[in-house]
């Protein structure tokens, strides 16, 4: 999102400045009276405000020296780190800065970033991470610093000049020096990172967005199949089967590439319904304008991110009628989009037997592998040169294939009336191969009963 504000697709940027502002000890320096005034000013119920301030003002500290705690000190200001309510209160405090900037830009002539003029957008803020952008003129920077000075006097929060940076684009050298003198910030170099996203003056390349590309998604998708392989060479189960729903014979592991499309579909849906979000307003103002989103195609100079969102729209557009997702009465959800992209197929008759609340998970997985003949029996290992022969370890008479091991092996038939579970047959087979000794069937049967009682 932030990269789109800085990039100007198809246009030559006018002189501009970008401020990356760091607040000094942000949570620890908020004045309690300011928090209370903000809650009252935003019309929170008095009783609610009183309860919140009781939580805030109950802060106390002790000193830990050489493993011992000393003293008991009451706090005087600040919000507790790790308290779930602290980020919400901090956001309320930052609303005061937003309104100060808005007041300043409305009262005096303010020149916005060209792509933000219609929305009157001056800054982006996530908790204490703050970006501010405007044209590169000293009088505008002075206006911004006045707003910050008023905010600091009221809230106790102040800018950390040592960590704050300013980035220029198309600003001549003498004006740069004047702006740095007014702010006290050092000049930064692009690209830099904001909220985990690389920021630069131009368009991000595909290589710089490597964490977002389909190549990374495909790599994640392959992890599931890799876990079900032997020494990285003998694949037990095809990845396409692993990602099927359990009722269709799979393990229900989501396809990462399809899930990614369904997730981006959330953004597509927001554009369809024109959600009251800053990003949607910006997209409509800069890209879509008055065009029909359903039939919209991105311009050739659009950003990589926007082009990929439009590609996802094309994959999902048949599910939208009159800007409404018609595949569910609840509207668009990521799960609903995924299910639509991966429609259900035939339910296998054995799936309910393998996967149910009465089966022990490890037993279910072993049975599932058996149903797909995905076990590394000796006949398979022998073909890859991993063992000297392909004879069944349990009976030493016939070739060890899945069908023989679980249906016709003489060791299996000796269980008689005892409950036969595929997991224990497979476990005993592996135990015999590794430890070179074989338990009597009645001993295995007794262990089956003990294990079921323990897991029940």
């Amino acid at each position: 999102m932030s990269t789109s504000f800085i990039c100007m697709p198809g246009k030559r940027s006018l002189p501009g400045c970008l401020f990356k502002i760091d607040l000094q000890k942000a949570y620890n320096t908020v004045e309690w009276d300011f928090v209370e005034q903000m809650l009252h000013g935003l019309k929170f119920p008095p009783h609610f405000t009183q309860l919140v301030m009781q939580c805030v003002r109950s802060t106390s500290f002790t000193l830990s020296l050489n493993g011992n705690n000393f003293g008991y000190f009451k706090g005087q200001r600040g919000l507790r780190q790790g308290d779930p309510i602290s980020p919400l209160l901090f956001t309320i405090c930052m609303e005061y800065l937003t309104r100060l900037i808005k007041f300043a830009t409305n009262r005096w002539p303010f020149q916005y970033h060209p792509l933000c003029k219609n929305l009157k957008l001056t800054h982006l803020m996530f908790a204490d991470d703050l970006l501010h952008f405007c044209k590169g003129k000293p009088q505008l920077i002075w206006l911004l610093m006045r707003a910050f000075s008023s905010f600091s006097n009221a809230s106790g929060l102040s800018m950390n000049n040592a960590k704050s940076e300013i980035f220029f684009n198309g600003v001549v050298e003498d004006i740069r020096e004047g702006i740095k003198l007014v702010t006290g910030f050092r000049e930064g170099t692009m690209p830099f990172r904001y909220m985990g996203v690389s920021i630069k003056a131009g368009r991000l390349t595909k290589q710089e967005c490597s964490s977002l590309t389909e190549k990374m998604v495909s790599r994640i998708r392959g992890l599931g199949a890799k876990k079900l392989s032997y020494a990285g060479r003998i694949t037990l189960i095809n990845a396409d089967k692993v990602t099927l729903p359990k009722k269709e014979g799979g393990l229900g592991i989501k396809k990462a590439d399809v899930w990614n499309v369904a997730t981006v579909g959330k953004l597509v849906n927001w554009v369809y319904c024109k959600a009251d979000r800053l990003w949607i307003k910006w997209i409509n103002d800069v890209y879509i304008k008055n065009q029909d989103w359903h039939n919209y195609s991105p311009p050739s100079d659009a950003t990589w991110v926007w082009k990929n969102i439009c590609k996802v729209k094309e994959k999902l557009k048949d599910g939208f009628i009159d800007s409404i997702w018609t595949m569910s009465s609840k509207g668009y959800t990521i799960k609903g989009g995924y299910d639509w992209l991966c429609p259900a197929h035939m339910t296998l008759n054995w799936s309910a037997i393998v996967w149910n609340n009465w089966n022990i998970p490890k037993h279910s997985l072993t049975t599932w592998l058996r149903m797909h003949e995905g076990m590394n029996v000796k006949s398979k290992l022998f073909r890859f040169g991993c063992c000297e022969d392909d004879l069944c370890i349990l009976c030493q008479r016939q070739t060890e294939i899945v069908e023989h091991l679980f249906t016709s092996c003489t060791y299996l038939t000796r269980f008689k009336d005892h409950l036969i579970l595929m997991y224990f047959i497979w476990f005993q087979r592996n135990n015999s191969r590794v430890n070179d000794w074989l338990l009597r069937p009645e001993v295995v049967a007794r262990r089956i009963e003990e294990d079921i009682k323990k897991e029940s």
Side-chain angles (χ1 to χ4, degrees), residues 2-3 6 20-21 123-131 192-199:
S2 51
T3 58
I6 300 165
K20 184 175 181 290
I21 298 173
H123 62 286
L124 292 175
M125 185 187 305
F126 185 83
D128 57 341
D129 292 309
L130 177 63
L131 289 181
F192 67 93
R193 300 190 71 82
Y194 175 74
M195 301 299 295
V197 178
S198 182
I199 307 295

Side-chain angles (χ1 to χ4, degrees), residues 59 85 135 146 202 270 336 343 351 354 368 395 431-432 434:
T59 304
I85 200 175
K135 286 189 177 179
R146 283 283 303 271
W270 286 349
S351 60
V354 174
W368 178 80
C395 69
N431 181 62
S432 301
V434 174

Side-chain angles (χ1 to χ4, degrees), residues 152-179:
S152 179
N153 292 335
S155 66
L157 295 165
S158 59
M159 293 184 293
N160 187 344
N161 288 10
K163 293 185 178 180
S164 298
E165 295 178 300
I166 184 169
F167 303 86
F168 297 101
N169 183 36
V171 180
V172 297
E173 185 63 29
D174 57 338
I175 295 181
R176 288 190 183 199
E177 294 301 321
I179 292 175

Side-chain angles (χ1 to χ4, degrees), residues 11-27:
K11 297 180 181 179
R12 183 179 179 85
S13 294
L14 297 175
C17 295
L18 168 66
F19 296 89
K20 184 175 181 290
I21 298 173
D22 181 83
L23 297 178
Q24 190 167 10
K25 298 181 180 179
Y27 275 60

Side-chain angles (χ1 to χ4, degrees), residues 23 26 30 34 38 87-101 123 125-130 148 151 155 157:
L23 297 178
V30 179
F34 177 72
M38 285 299 300
L88 303 175
L89 293 176
F90 190 83
T91 301
I92 289 174
C93 294
M94 296 302 290
E95 175 64 18
Y96 186 71
L97 174 61
T98 297
R99 298 193 180 197
L100 279 175
I101 295 176
H123 62 286
M125 185 187 305
F126 185 83
D128 57 341
D129 292 309
L130 177 63
F148 263 104
F151 174 69
S155 66
L157 295 165

Side-chain angles (χ1 to χ4, degrees), residues 268 271-272 284 287-299 306 309-323:
V268 173
V271 180
Y272 265 113
N284 277 285
Y287 282 120
I288 302 176
K289 301 185 185 299
N290 296 320
Q291 299 179 67
D292 177 24
W293 169 232
H294 195 72
N295 300 309
Y296 171 85
S297 296
W306 179 239
I309 292 175
C310 293
K311 288 180 182 178
V312 171
K313 186 261 294 183
E314 293 300 317
K315 295 179 180 180
L316 296 170
K317 66 186 299 184
D318 290 342
F320 288 93
I321 299 177
D322 294 332
S323 300

Side-chain angles (χ1 to χ4, degrees), residues 76-231:
Q76 297 296 323
R77 63 177 181 175
L79 301 173
R80 284 179 280 198
Q81 297 279 357
D83 192 324
I85 200 175
S86 293
L88 303 175
L89 293 176
F90 190 83
T91 301
I92 289 174
C93 294
M94 296 302 290
E95 175 64 18
Y96 186 71
L97 174 61
T98 297
R99 298 193 180 197
L100 279 175
I101 295 176
K102 184 177 180 180
F103 174 80
T105 55
N106 288 339
R107 187 171 180 180
W108 290 280
F110 185 84
Q111 294 177 299
Y112 295 90
H113 187 289
L115 293 181
C116 304
K117 183 177 180 180
N118 292 340
L119 296 179
K120 295 185 177 181
L121 186 62
T122 58
H123 62 286
L124 292 175
M125 185 187 305
F126 185 83
D128 57 341
D129 292 309
L130 177 63
L131 289 181
H132 181 91
F133 27 85
C134 63
K135 286 189 177 179
K137 294 190 175 182
Q139 57 267 36
L140 300 180
I141 310 304
W142 177 81
L143 200 62
L144 172 66
M145 300 308 292
R146 283 283 303 271
F148 263 104
S149 178
S150 298
F151 174 69
S152 179
N153 292 335
S155 66
L157 295 165
S158 59
M159 293 184 293
N160 187 344
N161 288 10
K163 293 185 178 180
S164 298
E165 295 178 300
I166 184 169
F167 303 86
F168 297 101
N169 183 36
V171 180
V172 297
E173 185 63 29
D174 57 338
I175 295 181
R176 288 190 183 199
E177 294 301 321
I179 292 175
K180 288 191 288 185
L181 184 63
V182 170
T183 61
F185 298 167
R186 70 173 187 269
E187 183 175 352
T189 57
M190 291 190 178
F192 67 93
R193 300 190 71 82
Y194 175 74
M195 301 299 295
V197 178
S198 182
I199 307 295
K200 61 183 294 188
R203 189 179 291 113
L204 291 175
T205 64
K206 191 170 184 177
Q207 289 71 30
E208 291 168 323
C209 295
S210 59
S211 61
L212 307 174
T213 61
E214 289 82 357
K215 186 180 293 185
M216 291 297 295
V217 174
S218 298
R219 185 177 177 185
I220 295 171
R221 182 184 179 187
L223 291 177
K226 199 170 183 180
K227 292 295 183 182
L228 293 171
S229 63
Y230 176 80

